[in-house]
């Protein structure tokens, strides 16, 4: 998973800290050495791998979107996230997972309030409820969360009322947030995209996938080719089955 650190004058802002215990320990040491301390953290969305934390990172405000916090507050959600985390990372500090509070996002867009460089955000429900997209205009960096990956096809939230519509909305909001200012795109998983041509290609591949999915297939996407992980293929097959059912019932 990709972690983003935004340097400020009195510490740093941390987005999606990481997954494995040794990664978090290394990250904490590097932050102390290079930035002094972490002063604020943001989870891009309420999935377990974006909600982990370590005591080494300090006791700092940890934020998520209002909708993301509401989702985690639903009965059984947080305990399920913690169980998933322990199953994948047995030595994680499950008690610290998901200890987040809501940022001020009533308008579903705005600016992170902190003492460092300007960080803008939008909220959408593509992939997960209350998914945040963040943009650092001073550096031209778009932090996309689990969107626009070169490794993963769009992963829809099939429990939502309108999974395709939500994902389309998310892509469009990310594109509007950064506009022509974007020079670097950081997805939650996969490689970083640099330069306008590569960034536009990322959006284009995701849009083409959604178009094919909406049509009920076929889907021609290199991310599902030979060597694709089984879990990703299974997610795609579930989305395709959902799309076929949707078309047949509509």
């Amino acid at each position: 998973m990709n972690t983003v650190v935004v340097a400020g004058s009195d510490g740093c802002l941390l987005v999606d800290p990481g997954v494995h215990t040794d990664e978090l320990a290394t990250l904490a040491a590097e932050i102390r050495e290079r930035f002094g301390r972490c002063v604020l953290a943001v989870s891009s969305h309420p999935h377990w791998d974006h909600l982990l934390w370590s005591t080494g990172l300090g006791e700092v405000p940890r934020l998520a979107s209002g909708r993301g916090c509401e989702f985690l507050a639903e009965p059984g959600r947080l305990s399920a996230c913690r169980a998933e985390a322990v199953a994948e990372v047995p030595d994680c500090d499950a008690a610290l997972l998901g200890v987040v509070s809501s940022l001020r996002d009533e308008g579903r867009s705005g600016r992170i309030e902190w003492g460092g460089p300007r960080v803008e955000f939008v909220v959408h429900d593509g992939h997960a409820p209350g998914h945040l997209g963040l943009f650092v205009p001073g550096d031209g960096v778009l932090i996309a969360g689990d969107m626009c990956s070169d490794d993963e096809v769009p992963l829809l939230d099939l429990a939502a009322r309108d999974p395709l519509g939500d994902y389309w909305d998310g892509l469009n909001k990310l594109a509007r947030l950064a506009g022509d200012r974007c020079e670097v795109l950081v997805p939650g998983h996969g490689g970083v995209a640099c330069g306008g041509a590569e960034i536009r290609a990322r959006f284009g591949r995701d849009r083409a996938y959604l178009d094919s999915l909406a049509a009920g297939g076929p889907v021609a996407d290199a991310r599902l080719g030979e060597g694709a992980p089984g879990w990703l293929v299974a997610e795609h097959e579930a989305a395709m089955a959902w799309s076929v059912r949707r078309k047949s019932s509509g």
Side-chain angles (χ1 to χ4, degrees):
M1 190 178 78
N2 294 321
T3 296
V4 176
V5 177
V6 183
S9 59
D10 188 36
C12 68
L13 182 154
L14 181 59
V15 183
D16 291 343
V19 175
H20 297 286
T21 304
D22 58 343
E23 293 174 339
L24 294 173
T26 299
L27 176 63
E30 290 186 358
I31 286 175
R32 287 192 296 271
E33 179 180 347
R34 299 178 62 182
F35 309 106
R37 61 178 181 144
C38 174
V39 296
L40 183 66
V42 178
S43 291
S44 64
H45 61 285
H47 286 169
W48 73 266
D49 53 332
H50 295 260
L51 293 167
L52 290 159
W53 194 251
S54 164
T55 55
L57 293 168
E59 294 185 13
V60 305
R62 297 164 56 194
L63 303 178
S65 72
R67 178 68 187 99
C69 290
E70 290 172 1
F71 178 79
L72 288 172
E74 293 175 3
R77 292 289 189 190
L78 185 56
S79 59
C81 279
R82 288 173 173 170
E84 285 185 85
V86 170
E88 295 291 334
V89 188
D91 62 344
C92 73
D93 194 335
L96 293 179
L97 185 149
V99 183
V100 292
S101 55
S102 174
L103 57 80
R104 297 176 180 176
D105 62 348
E106 293 85 355
R108 305 280 282 185
S109 64
R111 175 180 175 179
I112 301 290
E113 298 295 335
W114 78 301
R118 183 181 182 91
V119 179
E120 303 167 1
F121 70 84
V122 292
V123 184
H124 60 84
D125 296 315
H127 180 67
H131 196 302
L132 284 168
L134 304 166
F135 184 62
V136 187
D139 296 310
V141 176
L142 177 63
I143 306 166
D146 280 3
M147 315 272 284
C148 300
S149 172
D150 59 344
D151 287 345
E152 301 175 358
V153 295
L155 301 173
L156 277 60
D157 179 8
L158 297 180
R161 290 185 179 180
D162 185 8
L164 269 173
D166 288 344
Y167 211 99
W168 270 114
D169 179 63
L171 283 178
N172 291 336
K173 283 184 174 179
L174 287 178
R176 288 196 298 269
L177 173 64
D180 295 333
R181 303 177 293 169
C182 186
E183 299 176 10
V184 177
L185 184 153
V186 184
H189 305 272
V192 172
C194 298
E198 187 177 356
I199 292 167
R200 287 190 295 272
R202 291 285 181 95
F203 278 94
R205 281 193 291 271
D206 277 5
R207 287 171 173 145
Y209 176 87
L210 296 179
D211 282 340
S212 297
L213 191 66
V219 172
D221 194 302
R223 294 171 290 188
L224 295 169
E226 185 177 354
W231 71 265
L232 182 63
V233 174
E235 290 279 351
H236 163 68
E237 290 174 346
M240 184 59 70
W242 170 86
S243 179
V244 170
R245 290 195 302 271
R246 171 177 169 268
K247 286 179 66 66
S248 63
S249 64

